[in-house]
Structures are given as structure tokens and as C-alpha cells.
Amino acid sequence: MADSGQVDARSLRRLSFPGSHAADPEGTMFRLWRDARPLRTAESLEAEMGSLTPRLYEQKTFEAPYPALDEVREALSREADEKVRPLAFWRAWQLRDEYVKGHVRERYATLVASWEREREAFDAREARIAEERDAAAVKNCERRRGHIRKVLEGDAGVIGEGAERLSSECAIPLPFTLRYAYEEGAGRMAAEVDLPSPGGLPQTTVEVMKSGRSRPRPKTQRAVREEYARYVFALIAYLAHGLFDLSPAIGHVVISGYRTGEGDGGECVLSVLFDREGFVAALDDVADPEALCLSFEHRCQMTKTKVIKPVEPLERL
């Protein structure tokens, strides 16, 4: 049986889930649970860590064309046409040819030297960029490996960061608050959930009349209770999945749901102790979140008409 003792309050952390305000909260919550990915395992994380390689910078190639001697001659020829204009016009071709031959070697050497300097400067810049980016890539890769190692070890800091991401990134329909305490050495997490009010669910349904028109119709109390129960079980199962997925080192998660959503004084209506091995097996075998929750050690008093009564939680924070 689970220990009903209290966890040191100094280790408590609080998370606020803002809610996505979906039009169909119960259906959306079930789909979130149904579509949850398989839990990360030590093997999958080890494989991810082993596959990490720094993405090195691919240096660019200097693409400026090497100076062409024919182009230099053509440029000098045009230059000679402008500069060499002898009075003895019959000697113009000879003098212009001499002008080209007299300048082509020096002009070409100057262009080659300039091209070489540009290429060396370009290659030096690319080498500096490669050195900086490769160092950053290696550092990021090592940082990622270090993070995965801490996930594998169940480091409390990494668990806290992952829990914060869970609260900010998931699309749970109705807003609520979760308090949790994590025992790093024991691989155990306890959580209390201030459940959203049943009033947060749609209280009406749409009735299609014989005329083809539709009108809103209030749901029966039983229908609201049934929908709320489905929502609560899907929420608890989904949260258990999210907490287990923070680290393979987490072997047990106990979650207690409180009805009022007003803090520590509310009535506990559901408390479940999940173990990791059983949870992984249940993910493959049990599609219904209520059946899954009730297959573990739990405290829940619920009538056939889904009237949920207060219970003593398996563990208090």
C-alpha cells in the first residue's frame, strides 16, 4: 500500500496550466490522451545521445574567376584605342599593338596578385567562421549530451525544467493548477491537481428538430457527471504520462485530484499510484483512461451514475 505520509513542503513546486479553451473539452482531453507518444526509455535516450554529432560548418568556396590573359589583352586594346592616337595614322595599329604588349605582363600580374589576396582573405574569413561555429556546435552537442545524462539520472533541476515545459506547451482544454514534489534519489513523484469545475464543461447540447433546424438543449445532470468523469480520468492518465516522460528514472507517480480547484483545502475525489512498468504495459493494452487509472492502486468512490464522493488521498503534499 502507498504511504499516506506527507512530503516535505519545502520541495513543493507549483505549475499553472492555462488551458486551450477548446470547444469540446472532454473530447479534446480524450484525444490528447489517445495520441500521447510512447514514453521515452533509457534505451531510446542512450541511442539519442550516441547519435549526437556536431553539425560542422561547411566552408564556402571562393568563386571569383581567376584573371584571364585574353581579357586583359582586350581591355588594353580598348585602352590603346583611346590613348594612342598618332598623327601618323598609318602607324596607329603598330603603336597600339606595342602599347598592349608593353603593359600586358604588368597588368596581368597585378590582377593575379589582387585575386590571390582576395582569395586568401576570403579563405581566412571562412576559416575563422568555421572555427567559431564548429566550437559552438561541439559545445551545443556536449550540452545536449549532458542534458540527456541528467534526464537519465533523474536530476531534480532537469525534472523541474521539463515540468515547466509540460505546463506551458501542452494543450489541455481547461485551466488548472498542479502541485508536485519529486524525490530525486527515490525516483518518485507525488502531485496534487486542482481539478477544473464541472461548470467548465458545456452545459448544453444541440438538438436537431424535425424541421431541420437546431436548438440548444440543457444536458441532464447525469450526462454532465458522465462527461466530467471521463474528462477527469483522461486528465489524470495524461498527466501521469507527462510526468513519467520527464525521466526514465521516475519509477512511481502518485496523483491526487481535488474537486474544488481552490487550493489545499479541497476534497480529494481520485488518488492513483502509478508504477512505471505497469503504466508502460497498460499503454499498449488499455485504451480507456478510466479503466487504466482504476487498474492501479487507487482510491475512488464513484457510483454507477458517476457521482464522485470524497476520498482520503494516497499521499498528501
Side-chain angles (χ1 to χ4, degrees), residues 161-174:
E161 293 170 4
E164 290 287 348
R165 284 194 301 273
L166 176 66
S167 67
S168 62
E169 295 176 1
C170 75
I172 291 176
L174 300 178

Side-chain angles (χ1 to χ4, degrees), residues 237-249:
Y238 183 76
L239 289 175
H241 178 281
L243 296 177
F244 272 129
D245 203 42
L246 296 177
S247 169

Side-chain angles (χ1 to χ4, degrees), residues 165-211:
R165 284 194 301 273
L166 176 66
S167 67
S168 62
E169 295 176 1
C170 75
I172 291 176
L174 300 178
F176 68 97
T177 300
L178 179 147
R179 298 173 298 281
Y180 75 91
Y182 171 61
E183 300 176 57
E184 184 173 342
R188 181 183 177 89
M189 181 172 282
E192 292 180 344
V193 180
D194 289 338
L195 297 171
S197 165
L201 297 173
Q203 302 297 301
T204 60
T205 187
V206 176
E207 179 183 27
V208 180
M209 297 181 291
K210 292 181 179 180
S211 64

Side-chain angles (χ1 to χ4, degrees), residues 225-252:
R225 290 197 303 268
E226 290 175 345
E227 189 173 327
Y228 183 68
R230 290 193 297 270
Y231 184 93
V232 167
F233 281 111
L235 173 64
I236 296 300
Y238 183 76
L239 289 175
H241 178 281
L243 296 177
F244 272 129
D245 203 42
L246 296 177
S247 169
I250 298 177
H252 294 84

Side-chain angles (χ1 to χ4, degrees), residues 7-309:
V7 178
D8 184 354
R10 290 173 299 178
S11 63
L12 278 178
R13 300 186 70 170
R14 186 183 299 267
L15 300 173
S16 294
F17 291 72
S20 65
H21 305 285
D24 176 21
E26 184 269 327
T28 301
M29 190 67 250
F30 178 79
R31 287 188 291 274
L32 283 175
W33 154 251
R34 181 195 63 193
D35 297 338
R37 67 181 185 184
L39 290 178
R40 293 185 296 176
T41 65
E43 292 76 16
S44 66
L45 288 169
E46 291 281 2
E48 180 183 350
M49 187 163 56
S51 68
L52 288 174
T53 55
R55 186 176 179 180
L56 301 181
Y57 178 73
E58 185 175 345
Q59 294 189 38
K60 298 175 183 177
T61 302
F62 185 62
E63 296 181 349
Y66 192 80
L69 186 58
D70 287 344
E71 292 179 359
V72 174
R73 288 196 180 99
E74 290 177 5
L76 284 171
S77 179
R78 291 191 296 271
E79 189 177 307
D81 290 343
E82 293 293 327
K83 292 184 177 181
V84 181
R85 295 176 180 270
L87 293 175
F89 63 87
W90 58 88
R91 296 189 59 209
W93 183 90
Q94 178 184 354
L95 294 174
R96 289 168 182 167
D97 186 56
E98 290 175 357
Y99 180 91
V100 170
K101 291 178 178 178
H103 291 82
V104 67
R105 182 176 296 180
E106 179 183 356
R107 185 72 58 85
Y108 184 65
T110 299
L111 290 176
V112 169
S114 176
W115 183 90
E116 292 286 358
R117 286 193 300 271
E118 289 179 11
R119 186 190 64 177
E120 290 171 2
F122 179 90
D123 290 345
R125 284 194 302 271
E126 284 296 299
R128 286 195 300 271
I129 293 172
E131 183 179 5
E132 293 171 358
R133 295 193 182 179
D134 289 354
V138 171
K139 187 176 181 179
N140 288 337
C141 194
E142 286 304 314
R143 185 184 297 115
R144 178 59 184 159
R145 287 195 184 103
H147 176 81
I148 294 175
R149 291 189 193 99
K150 289 184 177 182
V151 171
L152 287 165
E153 295 164 1
D155 176 81
V158 170
I159 295 298
E161 293 170 4
E164 290 287 348
R165 284 194 301 273
L166 176 66
S167 67
S168 62
E169 295 176 1
C170 75
I172 291 176
L174 300 178
F176 68 97
T177 300
L178 179 147
R179 298 173 298 281
Y180 75 91
Y182 171 61
E183 300 176 57
E184 184 173 342
R188 181 183 177 89
M189 181 172 282
E192 292 180 344
V193 180
D194 289 338
L195 297 171
S197 165
L201 297 173
Q203 302 297 301
T204 60
T205 187
V206 176
E207 179 183 27
V208 180
M209 297 181 291
K210 292 181 179 180
S211 64
R213 291 186 298 174
S214 60
R215 66 179 179 182
R217 180 170 57 85
K219 294 180 180 177
T220 64
Q221 290 187 358
R222 178 169 180 170
V224 172
R225 290 197 303 268
E226 290 175 345
E227 189 173 327
Y228 183 68
R230 290 193 297 270
Y231 184 93
V232 167
F233 281 111
L235 173 64
I236 296 300
Y238 183 76
L239 289 175
H241 178 281
L243 296 177
F244 272 129
D245 203 42
L246 296 177
S247 169
I250 298 177
H252 294 84
V253 170
V254 57
I255 303 181
S256 301
Y258 288 77
R259 182 156 45 196
T260 64
E262 297 176 355
D264 298 338
E267 294 179 331
C268 178
V269 295
L270 176 64
S271 190
V272 185
L273 172 59
F274 300 94
D275 68 273
R276 187 180 195 87
E277 184 177 351
F279 192 81
V280 170
L283 287 176
D284 294 329
D285 299 333
V286 184
D288 177 41
E290 178 181 338
L292 181 137
C293 289
L294 299 183
S295 69
F296 292 89
E297 182 180 351
H298 67 276
R299 289 178 183 169
C300 177
Q301 292 187 26
M302 183 172 62
T303 68
K304 291 182 178 180
T305 58
K306 304 303 180 182
V307 175
I308 305 176
K309 300 178 180 181

